Coordinates of all heavy atoms in Angstrom, one line a residue:
R2 N 134.6 132.5 46.3 CA 133.2 132.6 45.8 C 132.1 132.2 46.9 O 131.1 132.8 47.0 CB 133.0 131.7 44.6 CG 131.8 131.7 43.9 CD 131.5 133.0 43.2 NE 130.2 133.2 42.9 CZ 129.5 134.4 42.8 NH1 130.2 135.4 43.1 NH2 128.3 134.4 42.6
K3 N 132.5 131.2 47.7 CA 131.5 130.8 48.8 C 131.3 131.9 49.7 O 130.2 132.1 50.2 CB 132.0 129.5 49.5 CG 132.0 128.2 48.6 CD 132.5 127.1 49.4 CE 132.4 125.7 48.7 NZ 132.8 124.6 49.5
I4 N 132.3 132.7 50.0 CA 132.1 133.8 50.9 C 131.2 134.7 50.3 O 130.3 135.3 50.9 CB 133.4 134.4 51.4 CG1 134.2 133.4 52.3 CG2 133.2 135.7 52.2 CD1 135.7 133.8 52.4
Q5 N 131.4 135.0 49.1 CA 130.4 136.0 48.4 C 129.1 135.5 48.3 O 128.2 136.3 48.6 CB 131.1 136.4 46.9 CG 132.2 137.2 47.0 CD 132.8 137.4 45.6 OE1 132.7 136.4 44.7 NE2 133.4 138.5 45.4
D6 N 128.9 134.2 48.1 CA 127.5 133.7 48.1 C 126.9 133.8 49.4 O 125.7 134.1 49.6 CB 127.6 132.2 47.6 CG 127.9 132.0 46.2 OD1 127.9 132.9 45.4 OD2 128.3 130.8 45.8
L7 N 127.7 133.5 50.5 CA 127.2 133.7 51.8 C 126.7 135.1 52.1 O 125.6 135.3 52.7 CB 128.2 133.3 52.8 CG 128.0 133.3 54.3 CD1 126.9 132.4 54.7 CD2 129.2 133.1 55.1
V8 N 127.5 136.1 51.7 CA 127.1 137.4 51.9 C 126.0 137.9 51.1 O 125.1 138.6 51.6 CB 128.3 138.5 51.7 CG1 128.0 139.9 51.7 CG2 129.5 138.1 52.7
L9 N 125.9 137.4 49.9 CA 124.8 137.7 49.0 C 123.4 137.2 49.5 O 122.4 137.9 49.3 CB 125.1 137.2 47.6 CG 126.1 138.0 46.7 CD1 126.4 137.3 45.5 CD2 125.7 139.5 46.5
I10 N 123.4 136.0 50.1 CA 122.2 135.6 50.7 C 121.7 136.5 51.7 O 120.5 137.0 51.8 CB 122.4 134.2 51.4 CG1 122.6 133.2 50.3 CG2 121.2 133.8 52.3 CD1 123.1 131.8 50.7
E11 N 122.6 137.0 52.6 CA 122.2 138.1 53.6 C 121.9 139.3 52.9 O 120.9 140.1 53.3 CB 123.3 138.2 54.7 CG 123.7 137.0 55.5 CD 122.5 136.6 56.2 OE1 121.9 137.4 56.9 OE2 122.2 135.4 56.1
Y12 N 122.6 139.8 51.8 CA 122.3 141.0 51.2 C 120.9 141.0 50.6 O 120.2 141.9 50.6 CB 123.4 141.2 50.1 CG 123.2 142.4 49.2 CD1 123.7 143.7 49.8 CD2 122.6 142.4 48.0 CE1 123.6 144.8 49.0 CE2 122.5 143.6 47.3 CZ 123.0 144.8 47.8 OH 122.9 145.9 47.0
Q13 N 120.5 139.8 50.1 CA 119.2 139.7 49.5 C 118.1 139.8 50.5 O 117.0 140.1 50.2 CB 119.1 138.4 48.6 CG 119.9 138.5 47.4 CD 120.1 137.1 46.7 OE1 119.7 136.1 47.2 NE2 120.7 137.1 45.6
K14 N 118.4 139.5 51.7 CA 117.5 139.6 52.8 C 117.5 141.1 53.4 O 116.7 141.4 54.3 CB 117.9 138.8 53.9 CG 117.7 137.3 53.7 CD 118.3 136.5 55.0 CE 118.4 135.0 54.7 NZ 118.9 134.3 55.9
G15 N 118.2 141.9 52.7 CA 118.2 143.3 53.1 C 119.3 143.8 54.0 O 119.4 145.0 54.4
K16 N 120.2 142.9 54.2 CA 121.3 143.3 55.1 C 122.4 144.0 54.2 O 122.9 143.4 53.2 CB 122.0 142.0 55.7 CG 121.1 141.2 56.5 CD 120.8 141.9 57.8 CE 119.9 141.1 58.7 NZ 119.6 141.6 60.0
T17 N 122.8 145.1 54.7 CA 123.8 145.9 53.9 C 125.1 146.2 54.7 O 126.0 146.8 54.2 CB 123.3 147.1 53.3 OG1 122.7 147.9 54.2 CG2 122.2 146.8 52.2
H18 N 125.0 146.1 56.0 CA 126.1 146.4 56.9 C 126.7 145.2 57.5 O 125.9 144.4 58.3 CB 125.6 147.4 58.0 CG 126.6 148.0 58.8 ND1 126.5 148.5 60.0 CD2 128.1 148.1 58.6 CE1 127.6 148.9 60.5 NE2 128.6 148.7 59.6
F19 N 128.0 145.0 57.3 CA 128.7 143.8 57.9 C 129.9 144.2 58.7 O 130.5 145.2 58.4 CB 129.0 142.9 56.7 CG 127.9 142.4 55.9 CD1 127.4 143.0 54.9 CD2 127.4 141.1 56.2 CE1 126.4 142.6 54.1 CE2 126.4 140.6 55.5 CZ 125.8 141.3 54.4
I20 N 130.2 143.4 59.7 CA 131.4 143.6 60.5 C 132.2 142.3 60.4 O 131.7 141.2 60.7 CB 131.1 143.9 62.0 CG1 130.3 145.3 62.1 CG2 132.4 143.9 62.8 CD1 129.8 145.5 63.5
I21 N 133.5 142.5 59.9 CA 134.3 141.2 60.0 C 135.1 141.2 61.3 O 135.7 142.1 61.7 CB 135.4 141.5 58.8 CG1 134.7 141.7 57.4 CG2 136.3 140.3 58.7 CD1 135.6 142.2 56.4
F22 N 134.7 140.2 62.1 CA 135.3 140.1 63.4 C 136.4 139.1 63.4 O 136.2 137.9 63.2 CB 134.2 139.5 64.3 CG 134.6 139.5 65.7 CD1 134.8 140.7 66.5 CD2 134.9 138.3 66.4 CE1 135.2 140.7 67.8 CE2 135.4 138.3 67.7 CZ 135.6 139.5 68.4
G23 N 137.6 139.6 63.7 CA 138.8 138.7 63.7 C 139.9 139.4 62.9 O 139.7 140.3 62.2
D24 N 141.1 138.8 63.0 CA 142.3 139.1 62.4 C 142.7 138.0 61.6 O 142.3 136.8 61.8 CB 143.4 139.7 63.3 CG 142.9 141.0 64.0 OD1 142.5 141.9 63.2 OD2 143.1 141.2 65.2
G25 N 143.8 138.2 60.8 CA 144.4 137.1 60.0 C 143.9 137.0 58.6 O 143.2 137.7 58.1
E26 N 144.3 135.8 58.0 CA 144.1 135.6 56.6 C 142.6 135.4 56.3 O 142.2 136.0 55.3 CB 145.0 134.3 56.1 CG 146.4 134.5 56.1 CD 147.0 133.3 55.6 OE1 146.5 132.5 54.8 OE2 148.2 133.1 56.0
L27 N 141.8 134.7 57.1 CA 140.4 134.6 56.7 C 139.7 136.0 56.8 O 138.9 136.3 55.9 CB 139.8 133.7 57.7 CG 138.2 133.4 57.5 CD1 138.0 133.0 56.1 CD2 137.7 132.5 58.5
A28 N 140.1 136.8 57.7 CA 139.5 138.1 57.7 C 140.0 138.9 56.5 O 139.0 139.7 55.9 CB 140.0 138.9 58.9
D29 N 141.2 138.8 56.1 CA 141.6 139.4 54.8 C 140.8 138.9 53.6 O 140.4 139.8 52.8 CB 143.1 139.2 54.5 CG 144.0 139.8 55.5 OD1 143.5 140.8 56.3 OD2 145.1 139.4 55.8
V30 N 140.6 137.7 53.5 CA 139.9 137.0 52.4 C 138.3 137.5 52.4 O 137.8 137.8 51.4 CB 139.9 135.5 52.5 CG1 139.0 134.9 51.4 CG2 141.4 135.1 52.2
I31 N 137.8 137.6 53.6 CA 136.4 138.1 53.7 C 136.3 139.5 53.3 O 135.5 139.9 52.5 CB 135.9 138.0 55.2 CG1 135.7 136.5 55.5 CG2 134.5 138.7 55.4 CD1 135.5 136.3 57.0
E32 N 137.3 140.3 53.6 CA 137.3 141.8 53.2 C 137.4 141.8 51.7 O 136.7 142.7 51.1 CB 138.4 142.5 53.9 CG 138.4 144.0 53.6 CD 139.4 144.8 54.5 OE1 140.0 144.3 55.3 OE2 139.4 146.1 54.2
I33 N 138.3 141.2 51.1 CA 138.5 141.1 49.6 C 137.2 140.7 48.9 O 136.8 141.2 48.0 CB 139.6 140.3 49.3 CG1 141.0 141.0 49.7 CG2 139.7 140.1 47.7 CD1 142.2 140.1 49.7
S34 N 136.6 139.6 49.5 CA 135.3 139.1 48.9 C 134.2 140.2 48.9 O 133.5 140.4 47.9 CB 134.9 137.9 49.7 OG 135.8 136.8 49.6
L35 N 134.0 140.9 50.1 CA 133.1 142.0 50.1 C 133.4 143.1 49.2 O 132.4 143.5 48.4 CB 133.1 142.5 51.5 CG 132.5 141.5 52.7 CD1 132.7 142.1 54.0 CD2 130.9 141.4 52.4
R36 N 134.7 143.5 49.1 CA 135.1 144.6 48.2 C 134.7 144.2 46.7 O 134.3 145.0 46.0 CB 136.6 144.8 48.4 CG 137.0 146.0 47.6 CD 138.5 146.3 47.7 NE 139.0 146.2 49.0 CZ 140.1 145.4 49.4 NH1 140.7 144.8 48.4 NH2 140.4 145.3 50.5
N37 N 135.0 143.0 46.3 CA 134.8 142.5 45.0 C 133.4 142.2 44.6 O 133.1 142.2 43.4 CB 135.6 141.2 44.8 CG 137.2 141.5 44.6 OD1 137.5 142.6 44.4 ND2 137.9 140.5 44.9
L38 N 132.5 142.4 45.5 CA 131.1 142.2 45.2 C 130.6 143.5 44.4 O 129.5 143.4 43.7 CB 130.3 142.1 46.4 CG 130.2 140.7 47.0 CD1 129.4 140.7 48.4 CD2 129.6 139.6 46.1
N39 N 131.3 144.7 44.6 CA 130.9 145.9 44.0 C 129.4 146.3 44.1 O 128.7 146.7 43.3 CB 131.2 145.8 42.4 CG 132.6 145.6 42.2 OD1 133.4 146.3 42.9 ND2 133.0 144.8 41.2
K40 N 129.0 146.1 45.4 CA 127.7 146.7 45.8 C 127.8 148.0 46.4 O 128.4 148.2 47.5 CB 126.9 145.7 46.7 CG 126.8 144.3 46.2 CD 125.7 144.4 45.2 CE 125.3 142.9 44.7 NZ 124.4 142.9 43.5
K41 N 127.2 149.1 45.8 CA 127.6 150.4 46.3 C 126.9 150.7 47.8 O 127.5 151.4 48.5 CB 126.9 151.5 45.4 CG 127.6 151.4 44.0 CD 127.3 152.6 43.2 CE 127.9 152.5 41.8 NZ 129.2 152.4 41.7
D42 N 125.9 150.0 48.0 CA 125.2 150.2 49.4 C 125.7 149.2 50.4 O 125.3 149.3 51.6 CB 123.7 150.1 49.2 CG 123.2 148.8 48.7 OD1 124.0 148.1 48.0 OD2 122.0 148.5 49.0
L43 N 126.6 148.3 50.1 CA 127.2 147.3 51.1 C 128.3 148.1 51.8 O 129.2 148.6 51.2 CB 127.7 146.1 50.3 CG 128.0 145.0 51.2 CD1 127.6 143.7 50.5 CD2 129.5 144.9 51.4
K44 N 128.2 148.0 53.1 CA 129.2 148.6 54.0 C 129.8 147.6 54.9 O 129.1 146.7 55.3 CB 128.6 149.8 54.8 CG 128.1 151.0 54.0 CD 127.5 151.9 55.0 CE 127.1 153.2 54.2 NZ 125.8 153.1 53.5
Y45 N 131.1 147.6 55.2 CA 131.7 146.8 56.1 C 132.9 147.4 56.8 O 133.4 148.5 56.4 CB 132.2 145.5 55.3 CG 133.2 145.8 54.3 CD1 134.5 145.8 54.6 CD2 132.8 146.1 53.0 CE1 135.6 146.0 53.7 CE2 133.9 146.3 52.0 CZ 135.2 146.3 52.4 OH 136.1 146.6 51.3
R46 N 133.1 146.9 57.9 CA 134.4 147.4 58.6 C 134.8 146.1 59.4 O 134.2 145.2 59.5 CB 134.0 148.5 59.6 CG 133.1 148.1 60.7 CD 132.7 149.3 61.6 NE 131.8 149.0 62.6 CZ 132.0 148.5 63.9 NH1 133.2 148.3 64.2 NH2 131.0 148.2 64.7
R47 N 136.2 146.2 60.0 CA 136.8 145.1 60.7 C 136.7 145.5 62.2 O 136.8 146.6 62.6 CB 138.1 145.0 60.2 CG 138.1 144.3 58.8 CD 139.4 144.1 58.2 NE 140.3 143.0 58.9 CZ 141.2 142.3 58.3 NH1 141.5 142.6 57.0 NH2 141.8 141.4 58.9
A48 N 136.6 144.4 63.0 CA 136.7 144.6 64.4 C 137.5 143.4 64.9 O 137.3 142.3 64.5 CB 135.3 144.6 65.0
S49 N 138.3 143.7 66.0 CA 139.1 142.6 66.6 C 138.8 142.3 68.1 O 139.2 141.4 68.7 CB 140.6 142.7 66.5 OG 140.9 144.1 67.0
K50 N 137.9 143.2 68.7 CA 137.5 143.1 70.0 C 135.9 143.2 70.1 O 135.3 143.9 69.3 CB 138.0 144.2 70.9 CG 139.5 144.3 70.9 CD 140.0 145.5 71.7 CE 141.5 145.6 71.6 NZ 142.0 146.9 72.2
L51 N 135.4 142.4 71.1 CA 133.9 142.4 71.2 C 133.3 143.8 71.5 O 132.3 144.1 71.1 CB 133.5 141.4 72.4 CG 133.5 139.9 72.1 CD1 133.1 139.2 73.2 CD2 132.5 139.7 71.0
E52 N 134.1 144.7 72.2 CA 133.7 146.0 72.4 C 133.5 146.8 71.1 O 132.7 147.6 71.1 CB 134.7 146.7 73.4 CG 135.0 146.0 74.6 CD 136.0 144.9 74.6 OE1 137.0 145.1 73.9 OE2 135.8 143.9 75.1
E53 N 134.1 146.3 70.1 CA 134.0 147.1 68.9 C 132.7 146.6 68.0 O 132.5 147.2 67.0 CB 135.2 146.9 68.0 CG 136.4 147.5 68.6 CD 137.8 147.0 67.9 OE1 137.7 146.0 67.2 OE2 138.7 147.8 68.0
V54 N 132.0 145.6 68.5 CA 131.0 145.1 67.8 C 129.6 145.5 68.5 O 129.1 144.6 69.3 CB 131.0 143.5 67.8 CG1 129.9 142.9 67.0 CG2 132.4 143.1 67.1
C55 N 129.2 146.6 68.4 CA 128.1 147.2 69.1 C 126.9 147.6 68.1 O 125.8 148.0 68.6 CB 128.4 148.3 69.9 SG 129.3 149.7 69.0
D56 N 127.1 147.5 66.9 CA 126.1 147.9 65.9 C 125.0 146.8 65.8 O 125.3 145.8 65.3 CB 126.7 148.2 64.5 CG 125.8 148.9 63.6 OD1 124.6 148.7 63.7 OD2 126.3 149.5 62.7
Q57 N 123.9 147.1 66.3 CA 122.7 146.2 66.2 C 122.2 145.8 64.8 O 121.6 144.8 64.6 CB 121.6 146.7 67.1 CG 121.9 146.8 68.5 CD 122.4 145.5 69.2 OE1 121.8 144.5 68.9 NE2 123.4 145.6 70.0
D58 N 122.4 146.7 63.8 CA 121.9 146.5 62.5 C 122.9 145.7 61.6 O 122.6 145.3 60.5 CB 121.7 147.8 61.9 CG 120.6 148.6 62.5 OD1 119.7 147.9 63.0 OD2 120.5 149.7 62.5
A59 N 124.1 145.5 62.1 CA 125.2 144.8 61.3 C 125.1 143.4 61.5 O 124.8 142.8 62.5 CB 126.6 145.4 61.7
T60 N 125.5 142.6 60.4 CA 125.7 141.2 60.4 C 127.1 141.0 60.6 O 128.0 141.5 60.0 CB 125.2 140.6 59.1 OG1 123.9 140.8 59.0 CG2 125.5 139.0 59.2
I61 N 127.6 140.2 61.7 CA 128.9 140.0 62.1 C 129.4 138.7 61.3 O 128.8 137.6 61.5 CB 129.1 139.9 63.5 CG1 128.8 141.2 64.3 CG2 130.6 139.5 64.0 CD1 127.4 141.5 64.6
L62 N 130.5 138.8 60.6 CA 131.1 137.7 59.9 C 132.3 137.2 60.8 O 133.3 138.0 60.8 CB 131.4 138.1 58.5 CG 130.3 138.7 57.6 CD1 131.0 139.3 56.4 CD2 129.4 137.5 57.3
L63 N 132.1 136.1 61.4 CA 133.2 135.6 62.3 C 134.4 135.1 61.4 O 134.2 134.2 60.6 CB 132.8 134.6 63.1 CG 131.8 134.8 64.3 CD1 131.3 133.7 65.0 CD2 132.4 135.9 65.1
A64 N 135.6 135.6 61.7 CA 136.8 135.2 61.0 C 137.7 134.5 62.0 O 138.9 134.4 61.8 CB 137.5 136.4 60.3
Q65 N 137.2 134.1 63.1 CA 138.0 133.3 64.1 C 137.0 132.5 65.0 O 135.8 132.8 64.9 CB 138.8 134.4 65.0 CG 137.8 135.3 65.9 CD 138.6 136.3 66.6 OE1 139.5 136.8 66.1 NE2 138.1 136.5 67.9
A66 N 137.7 131.6 65.7 CA 136.8 130.9 66.6 C 136.2 131.7 67.7 O 136.7 132.6 68.1 CB 137.7 129.7 67.2
M67 N 135.0 131.3 68.0 CA 134.2 132.1 69.0 C 133.3 131.2 69.7 O 132.8 130.2 69.2 CB 133.5 133.1 68.2 CG 132.6 134.2 68.9 SD 133.7 135.5 69.4 CE 132.6 136.5 70.3
D68 N 133.0 131.6 71.0 CA 132.0 130.9 71.8 C 130.6 131.0 71.1 O 130.1 132.1 70.9 CB 132.0 131.6 73.2 CG 131.0 130.9 74.0 OD1 130.3 129.9 73.7 OD2 130.9 131.4 75.2
S69 N 130.1 129.8 70.8 CA 128.8 129.8 70.1 C 127.7 130.4 70.8 O 126.7 130.8 70.3 CB 128.5 128.4 69.7 OG 128.3 127.6 70.7
S70 N 127.7 130.6 72.1 CA 126.7 131.1 72.9 C 126.5 132.6 72.6 O 125.5 133.2 73.0 CB 127.0 131.1 74.4 OG 128.0 131.7 74.8
K71 N 127.5 133.3 71.9 CA 127.4 134.6 71.5 C 126.4 134.8 70.4 O 125.9 135.9 70.1 CB 128.8 135.2 71.1 CG 129.8 135.1 72.2 CD 129.6 136.1 73.3 CE 130.8 136.1 74.2 NZ 130.4 136.4 75.5
N72 N 126.1 133.7 69.7 CA 125.3 133.9 68.4 C 123.8 133.6 68.9 O 123.2 132.8 68.3 CB 125.7 132.8 67.5 CG 124.9 133.0 66.1 OD1 124.4 134.0 65.9 ND2 125.0 132.0 65.3
N73 N 123.4 134.3 69.8 CA 122.0 134.0 70.3 C 121.0 134.8 69.5 O 119.7 134.5 69.7 CB 121.8 134.5 71.8 CG 122.2 135.9 72.0 OD1 122.6 136.6 71.2 ND2 122.1 136.2 73.2
D74 N 121.3 135.7 68.6 CA 120.3 136.5 67.9 C 120.4 136.2 66.4 O 119.6 136.9 65.5 CB 120.5 137.9 68.2 CG 121.8 138.4 67.8 OD1 122.7 137.6 67.3 OD2 122.1 139.7 68.1
G75 N 121.2 135.2 65.9 CA 121.3 135.0 64.6 C 122.0 136.0 63.7 O 122.1 135.9 62.5
Q76 N 122.6 136.9 64.3 CA 123.3 138.1 63.7 C 124.7 137.7 63.4 O 125.5 138.2 62.6 CB 123.3 139.3 64.6 CG 124.1 140.4 64.2 CD 123.7 141.6 65.2 OE1 123.0 141.5 66.2 NE2 124.4 142.8 65.0
W77 N 125.3 136.7 64.1 CA 126.7 136.2 63.8 C 126.7 135.1 62.9 O 125.9 134.1 63.0 CB 127.3 135.7 65.2 CG 127.3 136.8 66.3 CD1 126.2 137.3 66.9 CD2 128.5 137.4 66.8 NE1 126.7 138.3 67.8 CE2 128.1 138.4 67.7 CE3 129.8 137.4 66.4 CZ2 128.9 139.2 68.4 CZ3 130.8 138.1 67.2 CH2 130.3 139.1 68.0
I78 N 127.6 135.1 61.9 CA 127.8 134.0 60.9 C 129.2 133.5 61.1 O 130.1 134.3 60.8 CB 127.5 134.5 59.5 CG1 126.0 135.0 59.4 CG2 127.8 133.4 58.5 CD1 125.7 135.6 58.1
D79 N 129.3 132.2 61.3 CA 130.7 131.6 61.4 C 131.1 131.3 60.0 O 130.5 130.3 59.4 CB 130.6 130.4 62.3 CG 132.1 129.8 62.4 OD1 132.9 129.9 61.6 OD2 132.2 129.1 63.4
V80 N 131.9 132.2 59.4 CA 132.2 132.1 57.9 C 132.9 130.7 57.6 O 132.5 130.0 56.7 CB 133.1 133.2 57.4 CG1 133.5 133.1 56.0 CG2 132.2 134.5 57.6
L81 N 133.9 130.3 58.4 CA 134.6 129.0 58.1 C 133.6 127.9 58.2 O 133.6 127.0 57.2 CB 135.8 128.9 59.1 CG 136.8 127.8 58.7 CD1 137.3 127.9 57.2 CD2 137.8 127.7 59.7
A82 N 132.8 127.8 59.1 CA 131.9 126.6 59.3 C 130.9 126.7 58.1 O 130.5 125.7 57.5 CB 131.1 126.7 60.6
S83 N 130.4 128.0 57.7 CA 129.4 128.1 56.7 C 130.0 127.6 55.3 O 129.2 127.0 54.5 CB 128.9 129.5 56.6 OG 128.3 129.8 57.8
I84 N 131.2 128.0 55.1 CA 131.7 127.7 53.6 C 132.3 126.3 53.6 O 132.5 125.7 52.5 CB 132.8 128.7 53.3 CG1 134.0 128.7 54.1 CG2 132.2 130.1 53.1 CD1 135.2 129.5 53.7
S85 N 132.5 125.7 54.7 CA 133.0 124.2 54.8 C 131.8 123.2 54.6 O 132.1 122.1 54.3 CB 133.6 123.9 56.0 OG 134.4 124.9 56.5
D86 N 130.6 123.6 54.8 CA 129.5 122.7 54.8 C 129.1 122.3 53.4 O 128.5 121.3 53.3 CB 128.2 123.4 55.4 CG 128.4 123.5 56.9 OD1 129.3 122.9 57.6 OD2 127.6 124.3 57.6
G87 N 129.4 123.1 52.5 CA 129.0 122.6 51.1 C 130.1 123.0 50.2 O 130.3 122.8 49.1

């Protein structure tokens, strides 16, 4: 539910395109959470390499540890850190 709430905050800001960055169980849970939101205009895809993250309009949902200097534009959301805060 926390992941869905996190995505819904961005969705309410007008964000409809998301990239799940990473592999593993957290990426699977994020994908299931997005799918279960049932928003017809919400689009998402998975990426496991930085080269695959080139869409400037997408919000990137981090499903793995990442160098925080990559988040210089606010477009990257560290999902694990965000859902652990509250």
